Amino acid sequence: MKKIIFVCHGNICRSPMAEFIFKDLIRQNGLEEQFYVESAAVSTEEIGNSIYPPAKRCLNAHAIPFDKSKTARQITRSDYDRFDIIICMDRMNLRWLKYIIPDDPQNKVHLMMSFAGIDRDVADPWYTGDFETTYNDVLKASRSLLEYCLQRTDDRIF
């Protein structure tokens, strides 16, 4: 089983969108038994809060099912051992993550858009209100991530 965790600042916009978009892709392909997927935050600001309402509306608009009871949590050092890959939405998330998980000896930490071959951050709707661009970024990168994972013959991703 491949274990993936998506990470953003507060775990109420981009990372839960990525979690549920990716889960929908694996469901559409009948691969639920091959993956375990979560999302988390690098900060403590939103812990316990549910997905941001505009993010929920965006997921609903694209018929992406999501867990209505999902609440924000902070990533932990033990998550490094629990997950095969840790995917950050932006470079600032990478910097914050180093305070929680200072070393990455197994090369598990990556930027989301790198899977789509794009050298930039996932658009942050918190500042722009543009959840559609975020959705498109995440969907594109998620499709490439899934393709990459399916090319692997073992449970380890990297």
Side-chain angles (χ1 to χ4, degrees):
M1 177 171 284
K2 294 171 176 70
K3 298 175 184 170
I4 301 169
I5 188 166
F6 296 99
V7 180
C8 71
H9 182 79
N11 193 216
I12 61 169
C13 293
R14 292 177 294 172
S15 62
M17 288 177 73
E19 174 185 350
F20 294 112
I21 289 167
F22 194 78
K23 283 180 175 178
D24 190 54
L25 287 174
I26 60 176
R27 181 192 56 77
Q28 289 174 21
N29 288 281
L31 301 169
E32 298 95 333
E33 300 301 318
Q34 294 181 37
F35 291 89
Y36 177 79
V37 181
E38 281 188 30
S39 64
V42 290
S43 79
T44 59
E45 292 173 36
E46 300 288 349
I47 290 178
N49 291 334
S50 63
I51 301 171
Y52 192 50
K56 290 179 186 179
R57 286 193 292 274
C58 184
L59 292 171
N60 281 328
H62 291 280
I64 304 294
F66 60 91
D67 181 353
K68 292 172 181 42
S69 67
K70 163 72 179 163
T71 58
R73 77 164 183 93
Q74 187 178 35
I75 194 165
T76 65
R77 180 170 273 152
S78 66
D79 285 327
Y80 189 84
D81 294 326
R82 290 182 53 224
F83 290 92
D84 299 307
I85 187 167
I86 300 167
I87 302 174
C88 292
M89 299 295 117
D90 66 38
R91 286 167 179 82
M92 185 61 76
N93 302 151
L94 285 174
R95 285 192 286 275
W96 282 62
L97 184 66
K98 289 185 187 289
Y99 291 104
I100 302 165
I101 302 170
D103 298 313
D104 181 18
Q106 296 176 33
N107 194 33
K108 293 182 177 187
V109 179
H110 300 272
L111 283 169
M112 182 74 174
M113 295 308 294
S114 68
F115 288 97
I118 299 170
D119 184 26
R120 69 168 172 79
D121 298 338
V122 172
D124 191 345
W126 184 258
Y127 299 103
T128 65
D130 184 358
F131 286 82
E132 195 62 25
T133 296
T134 302
Y135 171 83
N136 289 326
D137 280 356
V138 169
L139 180 61
K140 182 175 186 147
S142 291
R143 285 177 174 154
S144 297
L145 172 61
L146 180 58
E147 184 178 314
Y148 173 82
C149 290
L150 294 176
Q151 292 172 359
R152 300 292 304 195
T153 57
D154 58 6
D155 282 341
R156 292 196 41 90
I157 295 176
F158 289 95

